[in-house]
Amino acid sequence: MPASSDSPPEPLQRPYHPSALILGSVALHIAAVGVVLMRPHLWPWALAAVVANHLTLTAAGLWPRARLLGPNLTRLPSGAAARGEVAITIDDGPDPEVTPAVLALLDRHGVRASFFCVGERIARFPQLAREIVARGHSVENHSQHHLHRFSLLGPRRLRAEIGGAQESIAFATGAAPRFFRAPAGLRNPFLERELARAGLTLVSWTRRGFDTVSTSPDQVLERLTRGLRAGDILLLHDGHAGRTAGGSPVILEVLPPLLAAVGTAGLKPVTLRAGCA
Ligand SMILES: [Zn+2]
């Protein structure tokens, strides 16, 4: 029984404005075709220009915090920073073992976070998704299947991955996501158009702990708190959680000292929705 009367409205489609790099790439392709038609002997130069352009687009997509392919939130807006807010974002769940413990920890500290969930995991554990929302956190879109080849998908498959997770999450929680994070942060030039169509805003991070691969909570904490300041967006994982030498999920070891460090710095964790309101 998903919908509730106080659910936020469905995100509206927003206008798509291609980035300068994408507009330039389209113009370059048209020019390359024109050159080949009018001066066929120049085809190697036209081909080289197109190849160089594709390499640039690929590099922009492999750089998670880049804005060359479209808008990309790497920090909270200046108003949130002025209020001393930071956003803790937690990816790849929900996970039936780790997520309940994360929720208990956040409750104990009176902290709200944003969970970038995988649609198919939401469909498997809808009660967990409802629990996240019931405790005042938000559930955002991290694609339907978290495919490693996400950045290689064309527009139709991207639309299915984004739309599938929107539906899974809205069905389970009654609230449609407003933010999207690409699997591993990897993107391609088709993504922004599909996000605009779904009314979603791309979010990456200010810094991440690499907690899916690290076994050391101290190192993860150091990566997240080095230079910590208002407006930061921090990334941790409850799904695919790395384990300490003792077998404990790294996020559970990192969250208490991280929240203490945030408090000591006079900062306040908020959801992305609150920080971007
Ligand atoms: Zn992920």
Side-chain angles (χ1 to χ4, degrees), residues 91-92 142 146 182-184 237 240:
D91 285 15
D92 293 6
H142 197 32
H146 204 276
H237 292 77
H240 301 132

Side-chain angles (χ1 to χ4, degrees), residues 50-162:
V50 168
V51 168
N53 176 247
H54 278 249
L55 290 174
T56 305
L57 289 169
T58 302
L62 294 177
W63 177 16
R65 303 179 70 240
R67 294 191 179 87
L68 294 168
L69 299 179
N72 184 1
L73 209 59
T74 59
R75 304 184 54 76
L76 292 175
S78 56
R83 295 192 295 270
E85 295 172 352
V86 295
I88 293 173
T89 62
I90 301 175
D91 285 15
D92 293 6
D95 179 281
E97 181 195 344
V98 181
T99 306
V102 168
L103 291 174
L105 260 174
L106 294 174
D107 266 1
R108 208 170 306 144
H109 289 82
V111 162
R112 302 286 173 263
S114 304
F115 288 75
F116 280 90
C117 291
V118 179
E120 65 174 352
R121 297 188 67 85
I122 291 277
R124 279 170 65 194
F125 309 111
Q127 186 53 43
L128 263 180
R130 286 192 277 275
E131 193 64 33
I132 293 171
V133 173
R135 295 183 188 221
H137 311 290
S138 63
V139 175
E140 308 296 353
N141 188 327
H142 197 32
S143 82
Q144 179 67 1
H145 297 102
H146 204 276
L147 300 172
H148 292 304
R149 61 179 194 284
F150 180 82
S151 65
L152 302 177
L153 302 181
R156 195 174 57 83
R157 294 292 310 282
L158 284 177
R159 200 174 309 154
E161 278 296 309
I162 295 163

